[in-house]
Amino acid sequence: MRYDPQKTTVCAGLITAVYKAKDIKTAEAAKVIENIQRDLNIALMNELAIIFHKMGLDTKAVLEAASTKWNFHRYSPGLVGGHCIPVDLRGVGN
């Protein structure tokens, strides 16, 4: 992939804030936490959706009701996993 100044300028305009971590290992560890947290929450929703289905409940309706709480973090059933976590862990371990 070649450097494209025009595309870089366009992409830079989309970024509203950048956090500069203490060092690269801190940044990589932060990515690991974020990816694992997202995967765990989606996996939990997958399991809850199965339970809700067996109970005759509509998962979307349950999530809509739960979303009325101010501090509820909404996750929906979906795909879990991918290449990020193994790659992120390598970055922290090196």
Side-chain angles (χ1 to χ4, degrees):
M1 178 181 278
R2 282 191 5 240
Y3 171 71
D4 183 334
Q6 184 178 7
K7 288 180 183 175
T8 301
T9 301
V10 170
C11 290
L14 301 174
I15 298 171
T16 58
V18 174
Y19 177 81
K20 186 175 179 183
K22 175 183 164 188
D23 53 44
I24 190 65
K25 285 190 176 186
T26 301
E28 292 296 328
K31 274 191 346 187
V32 168
I33 290 172
E34 192 278 331
N35 286 330
I36 290 172
Q37 182 182 53
R38 186 181 59 250
D39 271 6
L40 285 173
N41 281 300
I42 294 170
L44 174 62
M45 285 311 308
N46 289 342
E47 295 300 315
L48 288 172
I50 292 167
I51 293 168
F52 296 156
H53 177 74
K54 288 180 180 180
M55 296 173 65
L57 296 171
D58 176 11
T59 299
K60 288 183 182 180
V62 173
L63 287 170
E64 187 176 315
S67 294
T68 63
K69 188 168 185 218
W70 68 272
N71 64 348
F72 178 73
H73 296 268
R74 187 180 182 122
Y75 291 89
S76 298
L79 297 175
V80 175
H83 76 282
C84 292
I85 292 175
V87 171
D88 291 347
L89 289 172
R90 252 191 321 239
V92 173
N94 292 333

